Amino acid sequence: MEGQDILDAFYNTVHGYPGGVVALAGRMGMSPNTLTHKANPNTTTHQPNPRELIDVQLFSGNYSVLHAMADALGHTCTRATPDQAGGDPVDTFTRLQVAHADFCRAVGDALLRGDTHVSRNQMRRAEAMAQEAIACVGHTLALLRSHMRAEAGADR
Protein backbone atom coordinates (compact mmCIF):
# COMPACT_ATOMS: atom_id res chain seq x y z
CA MET A 1 0.00 0.00 0.00
CA GLU A 2 1.32 3.42 -0.95
CA GLY A 3 2.04 6.04 1.68
CA GLN A 4 2.65 3.63 4.54
CA ASP A 5 4.99 4.32 7.42
CA ILE A 6 7.90 1.87 7.57
CA LEU A 7 6.71 0.25 10.80
CA ASP A 8 3.14 -0.01 9.51
CA ALA A 9 4.43 -1.60 6.30
CA PHE A 10 6.41 -4.12 8.36
CA TYR A 11 3.36 -4.87 10.53
CA ASN A 12 1.10 -5.36 7.51
CA THR A 13 3.67 -7.57 5.75
CA VAL A 14 4.14 -9.79 8.81
CA HIS A 15 0.43 -10.09 9.59
CA GLY A 16 -0.59 -10.47 5.95
CA TYR A 17 1.68 -13.45 5.33
CA PRO A 18 -0.22 -16.63 4.33
CA GLY A 19 -0.31 -18.79 7.45
CA GLY A 20 0.20 -15.72 9.63
CA VAL A 21 2.98 -14.76 11.99
CA VAL A 22 3.62 -18.39 13.02
CA ALA A 23 4.39 -19.50 9.45
CA LEU A 24 6.58 -16.49 8.68
CA ALA A 25 8.46 -16.70 11.99
CA GLY A 26 9.18 -20.38 11.26
CA ARG A 27 10.72 -19.49 7.90
CA MET A 28 12.82 -16.80 9.56
CA GLY A 29 14.03 -19.07 12.38
CA MET A 30 12.46 -16.83 15.00
CA SER A 31 9.80 -17.36 17.63
CA PRO A 32 6.34 -16.11 16.65
CA ASN A 33 6.19 -14.12 19.88
CA THR A 34 9.41 -12.25 19.03
CA LEU A 35 8.25 -11.51 15.49
CA THR A 36 4.88 -10.30 16.80
CA HIS A 37 6.65 -7.89 19.16
CA LYS A 38 9.03 -6.68 16.42
CA ALA A 39 6.07 -6.07 14.10
CA ASN A 40 4.16 -4.06 16.70
CA PRO A 41 4.68 -0.39 15.76
CA ASN A 42 3.92 0.62 19.39
CA THR A 43 6.76 -1.47 20.85
CA THR A 44 10.04 0.33 21.44
CA THR A 45 11.94 -2.57 23.05
CA HIS A 46 11.82 -4.92 20.05
CA GLN A 47 12.68 -3.53 16.61
CA PRO A 48 13.43 -5.43 13.40
CA ASN A 49 17.04 -5.32 12.30
CA PRO A 50 17.98 -4.69 8.65
CA ARG A 51 18.48 -8.40 7.91
CA GLU A 52 15.00 -9.16 9.26
CA LEU A 53 13.49 -6.38 7.15
CA ILE A 54 15.03 -7.99 4.07
CA ASP A 55 14.05 -11.54 5.05
CA VAL A 56 10.41 -10.59 5.68
CA GLN A 57 10.20 -9.06 2.23
CA LEU A 58 11.99 -11.94 0.49
CA PHE A 59 9.84 -14.59 2.16
CA SER A 60 6.57 -12.72 1.69
CA GLY A 61 7.19 -11.25 -1.76
CA ASN A 62 5.74 -8.01 -0.34
CA TYR A 63 8.14 -5.08 -0.82
CA SER A 64 6.07 -2.38 0.90
CA VAL A 65 8.78 -1.93 3.57
CA LEU A 66 11.32 -1.12 0.85
CA HIS A 67 8.93 1.33 -0.79
CA ALA A 68 8.11 2.96 2.56
CA MET A 69 11.82 3.38 3.29
CA ALA A 70 12.47 4.87 -0.15
CA ASP A 71 9.47 7.20 0.24
CA ALA A 72 10.71 8.38 3.65
CA LEU A 73 14.03 9.28 2.01
CA GLY A 74 12.48 10.95 -1.03
CA HIS A 75 13.26 8.13 -3.47
CA THR A 76 11.38 5.53 -5.48
CA CYS A 77 12.19 1.89 -6.16
CA THR A 78 12.36 0.21 -9.53
CA ARG A 79 12.79 -3.52 -10.03
CA ALA A 80 16.08 -4.24 -11.76
CA THR A 81 15.89 -6.07 -15.05
CA PRO A 82 18.91 -7.79 -16.55
CA ASP A 83 20.66 -6.23 -19.51
CA GLN A 84 19.71 -8.17 -22.63
CA ALA A 85 22.16 -6.45 -25.00
CA GLY A 86 25.20 -8.50 -24.06
CA GLY A 87 27.44 -5.42 -24.05
CA ASP A 88 26.76 -4.52 -27.70
CA PRO A 89 26.59 -0.69 -27.85
CA VAL A 90 24.31 -0.60 -30.89
CA ASP A 91 21.93 -3.18 -29.42
CA THR A 92 21.89 -1.33 -26.09
CA PHE A 93 21.00 1.96 -27.77
CA THR A 94 18.39 0.29 -29.99
CA ARG A 95 16.74 -1.36 -26.98
CA LEU A 96 16.59 2.05 -25.28
CA GLN A 97 14.80 3.55 -28.28
CA VAL A 98 12.37 0.64 -28.53
CA ALA A 99 11.58 0.87 -24.80
CA HIS A 100 10.94 4.60 -25.12
CA ALA A 101 8.64 4.00 -28.11
CA ASP A 102 6.76 1.26 -26.23
CA PHE A 103 6.23 3.60 -23.29
CA CYS A 104 5.03 6.41 -25.56
CA ARG A 105 2.65 4.00 -27.30
CA ALA A 106 1.21 2.81 -23.98
CA VAL A 107 0.64 6.40 -22.81
CA GLY A 108 -0.79 7.40 -26.17
CA ASP A 109 -3.14 4.43 -26.26
CA ALA A 110 -4.42 5.39 -22.80
CA LEU A 111 -4.87 9.09 -23.51
CA LEU A 112 -5.64 9.43 -27.18
CA ARG A 113 -8.55 7.03 -27.60
CA GLY A 114 -11.10 9.76 -26.91
CA ASP A 115 -12.07 8.28 -23.54
CA THR A 116 -11.75 10.59 -20.55
CA HIS A 117 -10.78 7.81 -18.14
CA VAL A 118 -7.70 5.61 -18.02
CA SER A 119 -8.40 1.96 -17.19
CA ARG A 120 -6.42 -0.12 -14.69
CA ASN A 121 -5.07 -2.22 -17.54
CA GLN A 122 -3.91 0.85 -19.43
CA MET A 123 -2.22 2.14 -16.28
CA ARG A 124 -0.53 -1.22 -15.62
CA ARG A 125 0.71 -1.34 -19.20
CA ALA A 126 2.12 2.21 -19.02
CA GLU A 127 3.80 1.44 -15.69
CA ALA A 128 5.36 -1.74 -17.07
CA MET A 129 6.64 0.09 -20.14
CA ALA A 130 8.00 2.89 -17.94
CA GLN A 131 9.88 0.39 -15.78
CA GLU A 132 11.40 -1.21 -18.86
CA ALA A 133 12.42 2.20 -20.24
CA ILE A 134 14.00 3.15 -16.91
CA ALA A 135 15.95 -0.13 -16.88
CA CYS A 136 17.14 0.50 -20.43
CA VAL A 137 18.35 3.97 -19.45
CA GLY A 138 20.34 2.36 -16.63
CA HIS A 139 21.82 -0.24 -18.98
CA THR A 140 22.78 2.46 -21.48
CA LEU A 141 24.48 4.57 -18.80
CA ALA A 142 26.35 1.50 -17.53
CA LEU A 143 27.53 0.78 -21.06
CA LEU A 144 28.73 4.37 -21.49
CA ARG A 145 30.53 4.20 -18.14
CA SER A 146 32.30 1.03 -19.21
CA HIS A 147 33.63 2.82 -22.32
CA MET A 148 34.93 5.91 -20.53
CA ARG A 149 38.59 6.76 -20.91
CA ALA A 150 40.53 7.32 -17.74
CA GLU A 151 41.51 10.94 -17.30
CA ALA A 152 45.22 11.63 -17.01
CA GLY A 153 46.20 11.72 -13.34
CA ALA A 154 42.74 10.78 -12.11
CA ASP A 155 42.05 7.80 -9.90
CA ARG A 156 39.27 5.51 -11.04
Side-chain angles (χ1 to χ4, degrees):
M1 292 168 38
E2 288 186 40
Q4 287 189 90
D5 172 81
I6 297 163
L7 296 177
D8 289 337
F10 187 72
Y11 175 90
N12 289 329
T13 302
V14 167
H15 289 281
Y17 186 78
V21 176
V22 173
L24 183 56
R27 289 198 69 192
M28 294 178 66
M30 170 185 302
S31 85
N33 192 39
T34 300
L35 184 56
T36 298
H37 286 297
K38 287 186 178 221
N40 183 345
N42 300 315
T43 300
T44 57
T45 57
H46 292 75
Q47 295 291 311
N49 68 45
R51 180 75 251 165
E52 292 163 344
L53 292 171
I54 292 170
D55 286 348
V56 161
Q57 293 176 91
L58 287 173
F59 291 135
S60 70
N62 178 340
Y63 303 103
S64 59
V65 172
L66 174 67
H67 290 279
M69 292 173 80
D71 186 54
L73 297 169
H75 290 265
T76 60
C77 299
T78 302
R79 188 177 212 23
T81 58
D83 184 1
Q84 303 296 313
D88 179 352
V90 173
D91 193 33
T92 299
F93 189 64
T94 301
R95 286 175 185 272
L96 173 63
Q97 297 304 311
V98 168
H100 182 257
D102 288 345
F103 172 67
C104 290
R105 188 176 305 113
V107 171
D109 287 348
L111 294 177
L112 303 176
R113 296 287 187 215
D115 192 3
T116 58
H117 295 88
V118 175
S119 72
R120 290 183 199 273
N121 284 340
Q122 290 169 324
M123 189 65 212
R124 277 194 288 269
R125 179 174 169 230
E127 286 174 339
M129 296 298 104
Q131 295 298 325
E132 188 61 31
I134 291 167
C136 286
V137 167
H139 299 317
T140 303
L141 291 173
L143 177 79
L144 287 174
R145 252 184 237 106
S146 73
H147 287 272
M148 283 178 64
R149 281 189 226 141
E151 294 179 22
D155 292 333
R156 283 192 147 197

